[in-house]
Amino acid sequence: MSTEDYMNFVKSKWTGDPIKNDALGHAIVGLCGEVGELANIYKKGRFYPTKEMAREDVLDELGDVLYYVYAVAHCVGLDMSYVALCNQVKLKERGY
């Protein structure tokens, strides 16, 4: 799936903010929540010997993170291919 295809999917599903006109805030807070869920999966697998970090759980949460990243980009009018390119240039300049 291309970045454009996925953005079109997100645009078709994104409802923004149903209470006030703050779709960007909704997307950013949603992203933070999903990153927190991903961190919690890692925490349980890393610090609790009886738990393990299931690959499927990571996949599920990464998908949710991706959705909200695209929602943020949609709210501010950014193309994700351009975001990826800019990030690649920045990281190369830093020696990565």
Side-chain angles (χ1 to χ4, degrees):
M1 175 179 283
S2 72
T3 57
E4 185 178 342
D5 289 341
Y6 192 72
M7 180 59 84
N8 288 333
F9 167 76
V10 171
K11 286 179 180 179
S12 75
K13 302 298 180 194
W14 182 246
T15 57
D17 180 356
I19 300 170
K20 299 192 187 276
N21 193 16
D22 187 15
L24 177 60
H26 181 192
I28 290 172
V29 171
L31 176 59
C32 291
E34 296 303 335
V35 168
E37 290 184 29
L38 181 61
N40 200 41
I41 289 169
Y42 175 79
K43 177 198 73 175
K44 288 177 181 177
R46 170 65 177 84
F47 298 107
Y48 298 94
T50 59
K51 309 266 183 181
E52 72 175 55
M53 188 173 72
R55 189 168 189 250
E56 295 79 22
D57 293 340
V58 173
L59 173 66
D60 185 50
E61 294 308 328
L62 276 178
D64 293 343
V65 167
L66 186 66
Y67 176 81
Y68 279 107
V69 166
Y70 271 72
V72 170
H74 167 58
C75 289
V76 298
L78 288 171
D79 177 86
M80 285 303 294
S81 293
Y82 183 67
V83 171
L85 176 65
C86 290
N87 183 254
Q88 182 181 34
V89 168
K90 178 182 82 173
L91 293 175
K92 283 182 179 180
E93 287 173 353
R94 293 181 181 173
Y96 288 102

